[in-house]
Amino acid sequence: MHTVTQERMIRPARNVLGSLRLPGDKSISHRYGMLAAFAEGTSRFTNFSTGADCASTLACMESLGAKITRHEDSSVEVTGVAGHVTPADHPLDCGNSGSTMRMMSGLLAAQPGRFTLVGDASLSRRPMERIRKPLEAMGACLTLTEGHAPLAIDGGPLRAIDYTTPVPSAQVKTCVLLAGLQTEGVTTVREAIRTRDHSELALRAFGATIERTAESVSVRGPQALQAIDAAVPGDISSAAFFLCAAALFPGSSLVLDALGMNPTRAALLDVIAGLGARIAVLNLEEKHAELVGTVQISAPAEGLGSTQITGALAAQLIDELPVLAAIAPYTRGGIRIRDAKELRVKESDRIALVAKNLRAMGAEVAEFEDGLDVPGGQKLHGAPIDAGGDHRIAMAFAVAALRAEGETLIQGAESAAISFPEFFDLLDQVAER
Ligand code: S3P
């Protein structure tokens, strides 16, 4: 597929003010879409993610027999295949989406037939050995291309396993659970660092019984899923760009409504509060066990302090690290990030690309195999930014640009649409110039 490269000029801002309601969470939309397509009956979702990644999940599941209707207002209706997919006569295109490829592989490994999964250039470089290992231990046959996509699955009946994930990954956990859901016996996934638990909550919402302990999740298969109606909470990883933008301007005030506040996703709020921003959470509610609330943020008059992000926190904040690193030069004491080696195998090598783009803006930064040191108290200037086809890099540097001197040109700005097509318009709405 040929994508047209777009450039976006970002001018400095004086302040960030306003109130926004963000599109549905990408992680939750993937799971609701995939499970609904596999369940029995018709599910209805409002505020479904508008990102291209979740569209990839829906398109793949449609090719496998689900019926999907999308509406202009971001609502979606999904009629599922009641546990039996129809193998497609063409490769399933996961686009840029690691979540689609890894989670769907688990679902399909237990289904009779041959399935081929492909992705774009970025996804075709990302590690897939991590799903082949547990699925093969369950008896599935997965053929990779030098450890990557394209991948072929010869699906069929599997055996239950007890699996400890070597890297913290919610996608791998979900992959194994979706295979286990369809497999006789108890399948357990153990993780040393607890990753986002949307799959566990979503499986329960669709009627499955899931057992959890502090470090493990188990499913006894086979179990059938039943359709649900749900409103998808706003995406906190998309909110991260606005929260960080607001944190940069003394006098800022931003309100984000109906935002997902799942504790396995909300560590960013503690980190920004630790940097000195004032954060209030109002109207907390639970929807299908997902917490949703209103977040108010305002920045400290004296500017942001400093912080270190290491260990389990680095894993929990993995998607928010690019934007935290991008605003780090504007803090007083800088930000130190370690134990984040996974950043190198995301949609791009995010450690290298963050360092490169910070330097382009005149910042000093030290790059490590598993992180970055970004000193504080720096002044940045506008520069051409290479988004590297990575949505989170494009958006992170649009935020850094708000406090830079002069204009910043985001090259490859279209990649924001992978998770957040509305990003640049909403940024214009809240950035006072
Ligand atoms: C996701 C899990 C994370 C995250 C990705 C979405 C998910 O990846 O980086 O953006 O929805 O499960 P890993 O599972 O590879 O850590």
Side-chain angles (χ1 to χ4, degrees):
M1 194 170 49
H2 181 70
T3 343
V4 182
T5 303
Q6 280 173 15
E7 294 182 341
R8 209 69 199 218
M9 187 68 87
I10 310 290
R11 283 177 295 122
R14 283 186 292 119
N15 203 356
V16 169
L17 287 175
S19 164
L20 296 173
R21 176 169 284 229
L22 299 184
D25 185 84
K26 174 161 88 73
S27 291
I28 297 174
S29 297
H30 275 304
R31 286 156 174 85
Y32 282 178
M34 202 175 284
L35 296 183
F38 193 62
E40 187 179 353
T42 299
S43 296
R44 289 173 193 84
F45 305 114
T46 55
N47 202 40
F48 198 82
S49 165
T50 47
D53 267 9
C54 295
S56 294
T57 287
L58 293 182
C60 288
M61 296 310 295
E62 201 167 30
S63 303
L64 293 164
K67 294 208 166 40
I68 293 169
T69 313
R70 299 198 72 164
H71 302 281
E72 287 278 313
D73 63 356
S74 314
S75 64
V76 183
E77 276 161 36
V78 182
T79 303
V81 298
H84 304 284
V85 309
T86 311
D89 56 8
H90 56 270
L92 299 163
D93 187 356
C94 303
N96 191 245
S97 173
S99 302
T100 307
M101 185 169 278
R102 295 195 180 114
M103 300 197 302
M104 201 168 60
S105 293
L107 192 79
L108 297 179
Q111 292 281 310
R114 172 164 253 248
F115 307 92
T116 308
L117 278 59
V118 298
D120 69 6
S122 152
L123 183 53
S124 305
R125 285 192 293 269
R126 297 180 65 187
M128 292 298 149
E129 231 4 272
R130 53 183 67 187
I131 55 166
R132 194 183 63 82
K133 270 202 155 153
L135 290 178
E136 289 208 338
M138 296 180 83
C141 176
L142 237 82
T143 314
L144 304 180
T145 315
E146 293 170 11
H148 309 279
L151 64 89
I153 302 169
D154 289 295
L158 305 177
R159 53 182 176 270
I161 53 165
D162 188 321
Y163 188 68
T164 303
T165 52
V167 278
S169 166
Q171 295 172 0
V172 174
K173 171 174 65 178
T174 307
C175 169
V176 178
L177 289 176
L178 294 183
L181 180 75
Q182 307 168 67
T183 301
E184 201 78 47
V186 178
T187 290
T188 298
V189 183
R190 295 175 200 277
E191 40 184 19
I193 294 176
R194 186 151 181 200
T195 60
R196 62 191 71 192
D197 67 354
H198 303 301
S199 298
E200 295 88 311
L201 303 184
L203 280 163
R204 281 185 180 157
F206 280 82
T209 303
I210 301 284
E211 302 291 336
R212 299 173 72 175
T213 69
E215 354 21 69
S216 74
V217 192
S218 303
V219 59
R220 178 186 290 278
Q223 291 190 53
L225 302 179
Q226 300 301 326
I228 62 166
D229 287 354
V232 181
D235 193 319
I236 193 163
S237 298
S238 297
F241 301 104
F242 292 97
L243 293 168
C244 286
L248 290 178
F249 294 91
S252 66
S253 171
L254 190 68
V255 177
L256 301 172
D257 271 333
L259 195 60
M261 299 289 302
N262 179 315
T264 63
R265 291 286 299 286
L268 178 75
L269 298 180
D270 293 331
V271 171
I272 308 185
L275 283 166
R278 276 186 303 281
I279 293 195
V281 178
L282 315 167
N283 312 325
L284 260 193
E285 275 184 88
E286 243 186 62
K287 291 184 179 168
H288 291 296
E290 290 286 357
L291 281 181
V292 185
T294 299
V295 175
Q296 284 180 345
I297 180 168
S298 55
E302 68 279 15
L304 299 173
S306 71
T307 195
Q308 298 203 20
I309 299 163
T310 60
L313 188 58
Q316 282 160 16
L317 274 175
I318 200 76
D319 291 342
E320 289 72 64
L321 293 178
V323 67
L324 280 168
I327 62 160
Y330 304 120
T331 62
R332 279 176 285 128
I335 298 185
R336 176 175 185 264
I337 298 170
R338 289 291 189 287
D339 305 318
K341 206 170 65 198
E342 275 291 300
L343 280 180
R344 294 210 180 263
V345 291
K346 292 294 179 187
E347 287 83 328
S348 69
D349 177 342
R350 288 182 172 161
I351 294 178
L353 214 45
V354 164
K356 173 182 162 177
N357 286 317
L358 277 175
R359 287 184 186 125
M361 296 180 78
E364 192 189 308
V365 48
E367 184 180 332
F368 297 84
E369 187 47 36
D370 67 340
L372 296 156
D373 276 354
V374 187
Q378 305 195 59
K379 281 198 163 56
L380 270 51
H381 56 73
I385 294 298
D386 171 13
D390 186 330
H391 55 132
R392 298 205 198 278
I393 299 293
M395 296 187 278
F397 282 88
V399 172
L402 299 177
R403 272 281 302 265
E405 193 162 308
E407 293 177 333
T408 297
L409 187 68
I410 311 286
Q411 297 171 328
E414 75 289 344
S415 57
I418 287 296
S419 59
F420 196 1
E422 305 80 353
F423 171 74
F424 288 104
D425 291 342
L426 295 181
L427 191 66
D428 269 346
Q429 242 179 63
V430 296
E432 300 265 299
R433 261 119 187 176

